Amino acid sequence: MSESTTHWRSFRLDQSSAETDLQRLGRSKASLDVREALSQDDTRLETLSWELPGLYVDASKQRWDGEVVEALLKLAEEAGVKHAIADQFGGDLINHTEGRAVMHMALRGQASDAYKVDGQVVMPGVLKVRGRMLNFVDMVHDAHSQGRVTDVVNIGIGGSDLGPSMACKALRNFHTGPRTHFVSNVDGAHIEAVLAGLNPATTYVVVVSKTFTTQETMANAAIAKAWLEAGGATLSEQLVAVSTNLDATQAFGVLPSQTFGFENWVGGRYSMWGPVGMCIAVAVGRANFELFLEGARDMDRHFQNKTLKNNVPVMLALLGYWNQNVMGWRSHAVIPYAEDLSRLPAYLQQADMESNGKSVGRTGERISWNSGAVVWGEPGTNSQHAFFQLLHQGTEIHPVDFVAFKAPTSGHEHMHELLLSNAIAQSEALLVGKTPAADQPHRSFEGNRPSTFFLFDALTPKELGQLIAMHEHRIFVQGVLWGIASFDQWGVELGKALANALIPEIRGVVAEGQHDPSTSKLVSLVRR
Ligand code: F6P
C-alpha cells in the first residue's frame, strides 16, 4: 500500500473543508435558474458536457455551474479520488471488510495489462479462463447451427443474473447463438415458466453463483438438473457451472471440464465480464463479446488516465454527491430510451444500491451524511405515461438520467425519430417548464428540473461495455466521497440467515420460534 492511500481511506465528509464550502455554495445555487444560466453563459454547455468516442454526455441541465465544478474538484482532491483509483488499479485490498482486491477490470483486460493482486500478475489466469469460455461458446454455436442446442438457461441471482440478463436483452440485434433464458427467483413459478417451453434434449443449463451456496440458485439448480436428467439429457455436457467455489460445483455433479472459475477479487455485481457473462457470450458470440469487453476497457483507460475534470465517471460521481448531499435530492431516475435496454435500471439498482447503501464509514463509525441514492426507472416512452407526471409536477425533485442512442435498434426508423424526439423533449420540458394562464395553476410546470442526457452512437456491444464500466467507476468514486466500503454487501446477510431459520418453522417440522408479535402472526398464518 502506498503512503498516499491512508488519506482516502480515512477521508470523512464531516471533516472536509471542501464539503463545508460546497454546503455554503449550495445555499446560493439552490435558486440557480438553469434556463437563464444556459441562455446567458455561452461556455456553460461546453463546461458541463463531455465527448468520448461514441458518447456525448450533457449535464448542463443540472443545477450546477463552473463554480460548483471547481468546488467539487477540490472535494475530489481532498477525498483522494486519484489515489483511490490508483490503488484500485494497483490491486490493493480496497475491499477492506472482506480483505480483497477489487479487480474486475482485469476480466476485460488484455495480455499487455499489468494488473496484479498480492504481487501476482493476474492476466495469464484471466486469459486462460476466457479462452476456455470462448471455446465453449464456439462449440455451443456449432452445436446450435446443427440443431443440437436450441436454448441455454442461466440460473443465478443478483450479480449472477442481472448483468447477464440485462446485456443479453440489450444486445438483441447481435444474437447469433441459441436462445438464452434467465431463472433467478426462488418462486418456483419462475423456473416452471421458463422450462415449460424448452426441450431438455437440446438445452444447456449454466448454474452461475460466485459462492455456489445461494439458496435461490441452489434450489433452482436442483430442479433444472432433475429436469435435464428426467429428459434424458447428457449431464456431462449440458450442465455447466460458473463459480469461485470449485468444491461445491464438483459436489453438485458438474465436471471440471464444464466448470469455469473466477477469483474472489471480482465482486458478484461486477462480474459479468468473465465467465459469469457466459450467456452473454453464448447469445452474441465470441467476437461481439470481445467488443463488449473492449468498450469497458476503453472506459477503464479513460477513468485511469483522464484528469478529474475530464473524467466522466468522476464528474458523474461528483454530480451525484452534489445532487444528493448538497441539493438534498435523494433519488435518481434512470430512463433508457431503448426497449432493448429496459433492464438497465434493475441492473443499476444492484450495482449502485448494493455498493453504496451503507451507513458505516470506512473508519468504522456511523456516517452522519447521506449515502446511496435510490435508483429507479423504466424505459421511455412507457415511463412518460406512468411516473413522469411526478417528475414534472411533483413536490420533490428527482434528477433524471436520459439514455438514448442515435442509431435505431429496430428496422422501424420512423419510430426511432419518435423515440428520440420524446427523449429530448422530456429533458427540455423538465428544464423549461411552462407558465399557464392565471386561472389554470394545475397546468403549471415549474421547470428548472435537473437531468443528464447520455447520447450514444448506437446500442452495440462496445458501447454497452462503455456504459456499464462508466457506472461501475462512478459508483466507486461516490463510495470514496462518502467514505464507505462500496465492495461488500453485509446488509443482505441478516435476511438470508433469518429466512433459513424460518424454513423448518414454516414447513411445520419444528415448533414456532420466538419472534416479535407481528412476525409470529405471519408465521402462524402460513405455517403448515
Ligand atoms: O444479494 C447478495 C449477493 O451476495 C449478491 O451480492 C450476489 O450478486 C448475489 O447474492 C448472488 O450471489 P452468488 O453469485 O454467490 O450466488
Side-chain angles (χ1 to χ4, degrees):
M1 193 199 304
S2 59
E3 256 179 56
S4 58
T5 56
T6 6
H7 189 62
W8 77 266
R9 284 169 201 237
S10 55
F11 174 75
R12 293 180 54 101
L13 266 181
D14 58 356
Q15 293 168 2
S16 155
S17 61
E19 149 82 357
T20 310
D21 292 347
L22 279 156
Q23 293 297 344
R24 195 176 312 121
L25 198 53
R27 288 190 277 282
S28 65
K29 299 296 174 186
S31 55
L32 175 75
D33 190 321
V34 174
R35 295 161 286 207
E36 277 174 24
L38 268 167
S39 66
Q40 287 164 9
D41 176 0
D42 51 16
T43 64
R44 180 179 174 86
L45 186 55
E46 205 189 321
T47 311
L48 301 176
S49 64
W50 298 269
E51 256 178 271
L52 276 63
L55 168 63
Y56 173 64
V57 181
D58 176 2
S60 68
K61 291 189 177 96
Q62 293 279 354
R63 205 173 296 176
W64 63 345
D65 59 16
E67 192 186 2
V68 173
V69 167
E70 289 310 315
L72 287 168
L73 289 169
K74 282 194 190 130
L75 177 70
E77 293 286 353
E78 223 177 76
V81 167
K82 275 193 217 145
H83 300 301
I85 297 171
D87 286 351
Q88 181 189 19
F89 281 79
D92 280 5
L93 305 186
I94 64 168
N95 174 2
H96 71 281
T97 62
E98 297 182 314
R100 293 173 181 168
V102 175
M103 199 34 99
H104 49 270
M105 308 80 69
L107 294 182
R108 52 225 187 194
Q110 296 294 346
S112 55
D113 295 331
Y115 292 125
K116 281 187 184 169
V117 172
D118 269 346
Q120 302 291 312
V121 288
V122 298
M123 285 317 300
V126 167
L127 293 175
K128 193 169 164 199
V129 177
R130 191 189 301 162
R132 280 187 58 226
M133 169 185 167
L134 293 178
N135 287 342
F136 179 82
V137 167
D138 289 345
M139 183 279 292
V140 169
H141 276 228
D142 276 354
H144 171 61
S145 60
Q146 293 157 18
R148 289 187 288 111
V149 178
T150 53
D151 300 272
V152 179
V153 180
N154 185 99
I155 294 185
I157 196 164
S160 299
D161 166 75
L162 286 162
S165 60
M166 175 276 296
C168 279
K169 190 162 196 293
L171 299 177
R172 179 182 62 93
N173 283 329
F174 298 85
H175 285 197
T176 50
R179 291 179 295 248
T180 49
H181 311 266
F182 292 84
V183 174
S184 51
N185 202 330
V186 79
D187 180 348
H190 199 179
I191 193 159
E192 192 171 282
V194 168
L195 296 187
L198 306 183
N199 175 1
T202 58
T203 299
Y204 273 48
V205 170
V206 186
V207 183
V208 183
S209 173
K210 179 174 170 179
T211 54
F212 229 72
T213 56
T214 304
Q215 183 199 63
E216 294 92 330
T217 301
M218 297 327 295
N220 278 314
I223 291 175
K225 186 179 170 191
W227 174 81
L228 283 176
E229 274 172 328
T234 312
L235 276 193
S236 59
E237 284 176 18
Q238 291 173 242
L239 187 62
V240 176
V242 176
S243 183
T244 58
N245 184 353
L246 303 186
D247 291 338
T249 57
Q250 204 160 358
F252 185 70
V254 187
L255 293 183
S257 58
Q258 300 291 102
T259 304
F260 300 85
F262 61 105
E263 304 293 334
N264 68 14
W265 38 256
V266 179
R269 54 192 174 276
Y270 297 90
S271 63
M272 71 171 135
W273 317 100
V276 169
M278 178 68 87
C279 277
I280 309 173
V282 162
V284 302
R286 174 188 283 268
N288 284 319
F289 188 74
E290 282 171 345
L291 286 169
F292 176 58
L293 302 188
E294 193 180 313
R297 184 169 177 267
D298 288 349
M299 184 55 75
D300 295 340
R301 292 295 85 85
H302 170 95
F303 181 56
Q304 242 188 315
N305 300 326
K306 287 287 177 186
T307 58
L308 295 177
K309 195 172 189 161
N310 295 309
N311 195 314
V312 171
V314 170
M315 293 310 298
L316 294 174
L318 289 168
L319 174 61
Y321 153 83
W322 171 257
N323 281 346
Q324 167 142 343
N325 298 74
V326 183
M327 293 289 108
W329 301 326
R330 297 277 300 120
S331 99
H332 167 192
V334 177
I335 315 296
Y337 275 75
E339 188 59 30
D340 289 342
L341 200 53
S342 61
R343 296 291 289 161
L344 180 68
Y347 164 79
L348 281 177
Q349 280 175 333
Q350 189 205 13
D352 208 318
M353 293 159 82
E354 200 173 79
S355 297
N356 287 339
K358 312 279 163 70
S359 52
V360 173
R362 270 194 305 267
T363 49
E365 292 125 41
R366 195 181 200 288
I367 57 174
S368 56
W369 51 91
N370 282 332
S371 70
V374 174
V375 181
W376 54 287
E378 279 285 322
T381 59
N382 289 10
S383 49
Q384 292 175 198
H385 299 272
F387 53 75
F388 266 62
Q389 164 66 41
L390 179 144
L391 294 176
H392 286 291
Q393 286 191 316
T395 51
E396 284 179 40
I397 288 183
H398 305 275
V400 180
D401 277 0
F402 292 92
V403 185
F405 299 86
K406 286 187 204 166
T409 53
S410 80
H412 303 288
E413 288 208 18
H414 67 289
M415 293 188 75
H416 196 62
E417 290 153 10
L418 304 182
L419 184 68
L420 285 178
S421 310
N422 272 282
I424 296 173
Q426 288 298 328
S427 82
E428 186 179 26
L430 285 167
L431 173 76
V432 297
K434 188 176 168 195
T435 311
D439 62 343
Q440 296 187 316
H442 51 280
R443 290 192 176 215
S444 108
F445 292 71
E446 276 171 11
N448 205 25
R449 299 213 159 185
S451 68
T452 302
F453 208 103
F454 296 84
L455 184 60
F456 287 85
D457 283 351
L459 183 45
T460 63
K462 196 165 172 185
E463 276 151 331
L464 183 67
Q466 189 185 24
L467 165 68
I468 300 305
M470 174 184 79
H471 281 294
E472 288 181 344
H473 296 319
R474 190 258 308 157
I475 289 165
F476 170 47
V477 175
Q478 268 174 337
V480 172
L481 299 174
W482 284 325
I484 53 177
S486 298
F487 296 104
D488 63 23
Q489 56 286 318
W490 297 105
V492 298
E493 294 303 321
L494 178 60
K496 284 186 193 172
L498 293 184
N500 281 332
L502 273 180
I503 296 167
E505 284 184 52
I506 286 180
R507 283 192 179 140
V509 296
V510 299
E512 280 186 49
Q514 287 290 318
H515 305 283
D516 63 85
S518 160
T519 306
S520 289
K521 172 84 182 184
L522 292 171
V523 172
S524 67
L525 286 172
V526 302
R527 181 175 156 83
R528 283 179 181 270

